Amino acid sequence: MSCSNASTLLACMLVFHGGCSQSRDYAKLLTELKSETPMVRANAACLLGRYYSQGTLDHAEGIPSTELVVDSLIANIDDEDEVVRLKTAEALGNIGSKAKPAVRALIRRLEKENTHRSYYLSAFQGIGRTAKEAIPIITSFANDNDGTVRASALSALSAVDRGSDATIDILTQALSDPQTGVRQRAATELGNQRPVRPMVIQALEKTVRMDNEHVGNSAKQALESIRSAKDTH
């Protein structure tokens, strides 16, 4: 199924905007990941990512383990269908740190993709610190020509390599990005970095004074987050 095909446009819209049918038959969903119908495979990935989100079912009895689900999703990372690939990446990001075994396959897939790369970067963001192997490729996309991709890379770096000097430098430099949305993302993610560096506070205060209202508000919220964290210690 390709989203450039008008006959499947509605299905693509439903999938891209989170639409997936309801089913709690976990074993059946695993089987549906191998269906001959792309929409069925995409829907199964969508639901498994939702139900197994961030270890929700780690200790539940009588259902497939998170490890089995991750292994089954990995098999679809290189699916011939674009939507299946994207929903698979999204599902792995939703599962979180338990999806670490998928990191290498996600890196290889991202290296091949020319569109929708933010889905894979968001997957690394969801997997978090256990996706450290992806730091080099995430960093490379912080300078992508597409602003949406740059913003996704900033959030992924913030989650995977939070607090490192390299990440803080990249986020600080991104406060000068030509696109408002990227600068907003950089400001927001700087507010999440710990420990707090004086240079981060200075950069955010300058942004409040010098940038437009939207970016300035993001910088203000970041500063409030930093001050709130200080007050709790």
Side-chain angles (χ1 to χ4, degrees):
M1 180 171 59
S2 169
C3 287
S4 61
N5 185 331
S7 67
T8 59
L9 183 58
L10 178 58
C12 288
M13 289 175 64
L14 289 173
V15 172
F16 281 130
H17 291 285
C20 45
S21 66
Q22 303 300 308
S23 171
R24 287 275 182 177
D25 189 335
Y26 304 105
K28 182 181 179 183
L29 288 173
L30 285 177
T31 300
E32 289 179 346
L33 286 176
K34 302 176 183 178
S35 169
E36 293 183 359
T37 306
M39 193 63 186
V40 173
R41 298 197 301 275
N43 186 71
C46 173
L47 288 173
L48 287 167
R50 179 183 299 174
Y51 295 148
Y52 283 80
S53 175
Q54 301 297 331
T56 304
L57 299 177
D58 278 355
H59 304 293
E61 295 183 2
I63 65 170
S65 67
T66 303
E67 290 75 13
L68 177 59
V69 170
V70 169
D71 286 344
S72 299
L73 287 167
I74 289 173
N76 281 10
I77 288 176
D78 286 316
D79 194 276
E80 63 183 7
D81 182 82
E82 177 186 43
V83 176
V84 176
R85 294 196 303 270
L86 298 182
K87 297 312 290 185
T88 298
E90 185 179 78
L92 289 164
N94 287 340
I95 290 171
S97 61
K98 287 291 184 71
K100 178 183 178 181
V103 170
R104 203 163 284 182
L106 287 167
I107 291 171
R108 290 195 299 267
R109 186 68 242 173
L110 180 54
E111 290 172 340
K112 300 174 185 176
E113 288 288 345
N114 294 317
T115 59
H116 304 300
R117 289 163 296 183
S118 291
Y119 273 78
Y120 300 93
L121 293 166
S122 294
F124 294 133
Q125 179 184 353
I127 295 170
R129 290 187 179 274
T130 59
K132 283 191 175 295
E133 187 177 354
I135 290 173
I137 193 167
I138 296 171
T139 300
S140 72
F141 281 105
N143 293 312
D144 194 81
N145 291 329
D146 186 327
T148 300
V149 173
R150 294 199 301 276
S152 296
L154 296 180
S155 290
L157 271 179
S158 178
V160 176
D161 198 31
R162 180 163 297 178
S164 76
D165 290 340
T167 291
I168 289 174
D169 285 346
I170 290 170
L171 291 172
T172 303
Q173 292 171 19
L175 289 174
S176 300
D177 191 275
Q179 289 196 10
T180 292
V182 178
R183 298 199 303 279
Q184 283 183 281
R185 187 73 60 89
T188 297
E189 297 299 349
L190 279 169
N192 295 327
Q193 303 305 303
R194 303 291 183 272
V196 177
R197 273 85 159 169
M199 61 170 286
V200 169
I201 294 176
Q202 292 168 7
L204 289 170
E205 289 177 339
K206 180 180 178 181
T207 299
V208 171
R209 295 193 306 270
M210 304 294 291
D211 213 318
N212 64 44
E213 180 181 358
H214 300 293
V215 181
N217 285 338
S218 294
K220 285 179 184 178
Q221 291 172 8
L223 287 167
E224 289 171 4
S225 175
I226 289 170
R227 288 164 184 147
S228 176
K230 282 184 176 181
D231 291 342
T232 59
H233 288 82

